[in-house]
Amino acid sequence: MAEIIWAKEIRPGMTYLDGKGNIFKVIENTFNKTCQAKAVIKVRVRNLRKGGVSWEVLSEDKYEKAETQTPTMTFSYIDGDNYVFMDETTYEQVEVPLSKLEWEKNFLVEGGTVRMLKYGDEILGIDLPDKVTLVVKEAENAVRGDTANAASKKAWLANGFEVKVPQFIEAGEKIILSTVDGTYSGREGKTK
């Protein structure tokens, strides 16, 4: 029997079914109540089946909670248009099509661990950690004297992902990126 949750109980991190075939993961929620009007509950959600982020107004009182599993997986390699992951407990290999990892592929490193997001036997995608450390393959030259307003320049990772970094970052350095929006968060140092 599926667990039913009230709209007012829905919190960030929860997943629920909307009754139209969508599985939503809640990113944030708001609750507005005025004296004379019914409460309005808005949630910012990621559609786990179709991708994309949107705001939804919860018009119904009850929703079915989507029981998702998140086994820890290791990214192994790319096989054509599929990314291959290995379950760390069963050693089973799972292929995920590139179409389900359009954003996430920018932060994957061979041997890195992620959480696979599954609903029953259906693979919905992967959950990345909030921040990842990656190596800069190439960086623009710093513009001498350009220090106003936290000047930045372009840098590229080994997978071709472009990111804005501070002027002092050079090729070969390990930088920390936010997986939410792909922005620079810090650095760890040079690789050998």
Side-chain angles (χ1 to χ4, degrees):
M1 176 107 180
E3 183 181 348
I4 302 297
I5 50 176
W6 292 90
K8 64 184 178 185
E9 297 172 337
I10 293 177
R11 301 285 181 262
M14 289 183 155
T15 52
Y16 70 93
L17 300 165
D18 73 345
K20 299 175 189 167
N22 295 311
I23 300 174
F24 289 124
K25 181 172 184 175
V26 180
I27 300 169
E28 67 180 284
N29 65 332
T30 64
F31 182 84
N32 294 324
K33 173 77 174 114
T34 60
C35 302
Q36 299 176 342
K38 185 177 177 184
V40 176
I41 301 166
K42 293 170 93 177
V43 289
R44 186 169 173 231
V45 293
R46 179 178 311 280
N47 189 325
L48 298 178
R49 282 197 169 134
K50 298 178 183 174
V53 175
S54 63
W55 280 96
E56 299 287 326
V57 175
L58 300 183
S59 57
E60 297 176 26
D61 289 334
K62 298 178 187 176
Y63 291 87
E64 183 180 336
K65 189 172 185 179
E67 294 295 334
T68 56
Q69 300 85 40
T70 55
T72 302
M73 307 286 268
T74 302
F75 173 52
S76 298
Y77 58 93
I78 300 171
D79 182 20
D81 285 340
N82 294 315
Y83 283 64
V84 181
F85 296 85
M86 183 181 68
D87 189 308
E88 291 187 345
T89 54
T90 65
Y91 302 108
E92 171 191 6
Q93 290 196 339
V94 176
E95 291 186 357
V96 180
L98 172 62
S99 61
K100 291 198 178 271
L101 303 174
E102 286 297 329
W103 176 251
E104 294 86 350
K105 72 179 182 186
N106 297 313
F107 308 101
L108 291 174
V109 177
E110 278 188 30
T113 58
V114 297
R115 293 218 174 260
M116 184 72 56
L117 193 55
K118 297 171 81 175
Y119 179 68
D121 290 334
E122 180 184 0
I123 296 171
L124 299 169
I126 61 172
D127 263 347
L128 294 168
D130 291 337
K131 297 190 185 297
V132 293
T133 302
L134 299 167
V135 178
V136 174
K137 181 179 181 186
E138 183 183 342
E140 289 181 334
N141 292 327
V143 178
R144 197 172 180 108
D146 189 1
T147 57
N149 300 327
S152 62
K153 64 181 182 179
K154 293 179 186 176
W156 295 269
L157 307 177
N159 62 8
F161 185 65
E162 182 182 302
V163 63
K164 291 276 192 184
V165 297
Q167 294 280 346
F168 56 82
I169 298 295
E170 298 174 5
E173 288 192 72
K174 290 182 178 179
I175 60 171
I176 302 166
L177 295 177
S178 164
T179 59
V180 175
D181 56 9
T183 56
Y184 172 86
S185 294
R187 71 174 173 171
E188 281 198 5
K190 281 193 176 244
T191 60
K192 293 180 181 180

